């Protein structure tokens, strides 16, 4: 076959494959253009998730008729004045977005420059160009993309469901908006408002935090530390969440390079290194970090979508991020411990808000002792007899109980003195007192024990004296029976029992006395929210939370003192026991000196 030059339309369709993957990528390109045009207001509307219509309207610099004609041409850009790819200051520079979109959809660009006498419009449909004609439009630009991918049906077939495509678009716009707090953004689909982000005022720390709060949630801004550092001309700033605020995935970790949202593995690695000792390994903190990098130290021309970058010195950037995060986190630990602010994990101000209650890091005992302590049988029936030498047998406060002579003998979480509201254990430590949320602590122990057991191939089960029949609807039964093997791995042995029930024969020993029916119903509900491809062990924290809710150490259950002490000892021996699986602390400490301060003795 002879070699031939491809026609422009085909070239553009090929390029479009890399630039415009889905409605979200078209929106991203158009919003980037609006930002590059200096817009202060950007309005995005979608119809049918963006398949039928994407419209982006801005109040930016606009284009006159000559510029319009060029704008839809391939490799035509106003953003590279001097052919130098080392000094890119704009989001765009490849001159590919408009021609690509025009090649695969019906594109109309209507624009009017500031001070222009009238507006102009140009249309490109599936690569076919119509001449520029006069139009009516205020200063700024409106771009309409209709019937995306009508000219490339193969791509059309790859689009996901409408909600999925909309979610991608919300994400893309949110990312761009996080780096431009002064610009107001709105995104709606049909009549539904998906994002409404008014300008946060003049750009700066306050505006940025306000915008981050609007996008990532108030919880984030209330629990975030300001980050600021500089090394060799590279500046790092932004906000990082406290370790007690975290999610199941790293999708809420945002990185911006010269205000361009990027996806870089470097970020997640650096974050993991910085939070290493502070957060459970399967949880991820939230953060938004901004790098200002001199243009010649970073290459953004890596991929047509421009979401990847190459740093000239990646190790330097990584070191900068890890160092700044660690420093901020260390300073925060100190601050939380010394100032009279409320504990940082809630952001709320309860009765203890003004006091000196504070989280202290979980005791760092070795994992080797994990099995040992748990095998002492906490939560099951027999509880370690020797675990409660001081207050055995009393479920009530013993204010005058003797203090042990030697402080060395007192374990880190102390000895249980009382249970309050059938929910909290109060323990006396060597130099203060500790309050434990018994349910949160138990949940963490269940989690850690099952995790360890899964890793070593077997969860200890306990046979039920009387197998329990649990009635359920057929969908719930279907969900459970589809996962019998997985449940067995977690220590739950059950089988279908007639048309409307399952029979439960064995349960994980760690749960102790158990509300079996409640557990099975809740698990069936959990399974409904899981897609079938997700393994239960990948959702272990959730499964354990559900299990612990029905185990023997629920909130509201009275514990004997030796049960309490057994729980304290097991916590000391368990990694991550300072936080429950949802990241809330499982215990807080009040030092003796703090108590004295409260009473004005100091
Ligand atoms: P690039 O952004 O890489 O330059 P595009 O194809 O996205 O390439 O856009 C081509 C040109 O069209 C831009 O360089 C810019 O001059 C002009 N343009 C596109 N969108 C707008 C807009 N919303 N406002 C003003 N000018 C625009
Ligand atoms: Mg562009």
């Amino acid at each position: 076959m002879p070699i031939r030059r491809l026609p422009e339309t085909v070239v553009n369709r090929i390029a479009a494959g890399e630039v415009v993957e889905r409605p979200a990528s078209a929106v991203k390109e158009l919003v980037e253009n609006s930002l590059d045009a200096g817009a202060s207001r950007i309005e995005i509307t979608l119809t049918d998730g963006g398949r039928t219509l994407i419209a982006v309207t801005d109040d930016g610099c606009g284009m006159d008729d000559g510029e319009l004609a060029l704008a839809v041409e391939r490799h035509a850009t106003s953003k590279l004045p001097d052919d130098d790819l080392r000094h890119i200051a704009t989001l765009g520079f490849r001159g590919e977005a408009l021609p690509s979109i025009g090649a695969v959809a019906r594109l109309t660009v209507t624009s009017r420059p500031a001070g222009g006498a009238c507006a102009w419009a140009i249309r490109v449909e599936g690569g076919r160009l119509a001449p520029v004609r006069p139009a009516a439009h205020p200063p700024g630009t409106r771009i309409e993309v209709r019937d995306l991918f009508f000219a490339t049906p193969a791509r059309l077939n790859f689009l996901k469901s409408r909600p999925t495509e909309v979610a991608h678009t919300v994400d893309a716009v949110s990312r761009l908006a996080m780096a431009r707090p002064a610009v107001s953004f709105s995104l709606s689909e049909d009549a539904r408002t998906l994002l409404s982000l008014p300008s946060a005022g003049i750009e700066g720390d306050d505006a940025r935090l306000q915008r981050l709060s609007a996008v990532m949630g108030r919880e984030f801004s209330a629990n975030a530390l300001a980050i600021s550092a500089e090394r060799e001309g590279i500046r790092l700033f932004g906000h990082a969440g406290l370790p007690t605020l975290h999610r199941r995935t790293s999708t809420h970790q945002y990185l911006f390079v010269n205000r361009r949202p990027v996806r870089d593995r470097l970020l997640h690695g650096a974050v993991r290194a910085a939070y290493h000792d502070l957060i459970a390994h399967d949880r991820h903190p939230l953060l938004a970090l901004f790098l200002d990098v001199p243009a010649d130290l970073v290459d953004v021309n890596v991929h047509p979508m421009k979401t990847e970058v190459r740093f000239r010195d990646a190790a330097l950037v990584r070191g900068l991020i890890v160092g700044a995060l660690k420093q901020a986190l260390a300073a925060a630990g100190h601050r939380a411990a010394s100032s009279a602010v409320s504990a940082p994990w809630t952001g709320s101000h309860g009765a203890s808000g003004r006091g000196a209650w504070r989280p202290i890091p979980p005791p760092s005992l070795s994992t080797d002792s994990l099995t040992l302590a748990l095998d002492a049988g906490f939560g099951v029936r027999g509880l370690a007899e020797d675990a409660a030498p001081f207050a055995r047998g009393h479920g009530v406060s013993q204010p005058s109980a003797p203090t042990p002579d030697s402080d060395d003998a007192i374990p880190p979480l102390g000895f249980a003195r009382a249970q309050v509201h059938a929910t909290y254990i109060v323990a006396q430590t060597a130099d203060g007192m500790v309050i434990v949320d018994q349910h949160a602590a138990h949940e963490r122990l269940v989690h850690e024990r099952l995790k360890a057991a899964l890793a070593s191939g077997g969860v200890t089960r306990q046979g039920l004296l009387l197998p329990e029949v649990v009635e359920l609807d057929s969908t719930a039964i279907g969900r459970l029976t589809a996962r019998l093997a997985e449940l067995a791995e977690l220590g739950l042995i059950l089988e279908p029992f007639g048309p409307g029930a399952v029979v439960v024969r064995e349960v994980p020993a760690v749960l102790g006395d158990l509300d079996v029916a409640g557990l099975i119903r809740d698990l069936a509900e959990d399974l409904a929210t899981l897609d079938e491809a997700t393994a239960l062990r990948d959702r272990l924290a959730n499964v354990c939370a559900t299990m612990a809710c029905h185990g023997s150490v629920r909130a509201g259950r009275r514990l004997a003192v030796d049960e309490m002490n057994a729980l304290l000892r097991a916590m000391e021996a368990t990694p991550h026991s300072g936080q429950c699986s949802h990241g809330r602390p499982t215990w807080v400490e009040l030092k003796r000196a703090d108590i004295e301060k409260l009473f004005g003795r100091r």
Side-chain angles (χ1 to χ4, degrees), residues 229 238 550:
H550 298 279

Side-chain angles (χ1 to χ4, degrees), residues 101 178 210 389 407 494 552:
I101 294 170
M178 287 165 84
Q210 191 180 324
D407 280 357
L494 54 96
S552 61

Side-chain angles (χ1 to χ4, degrees), residues 201-213:
I202 297 166
E203 227 161 85
D205 291 351
D206 292 347
R208 190 181 327 109
L209 189 56
Q210 191 180 324
R211 179 55 61 83
L212 293 182
S213 176

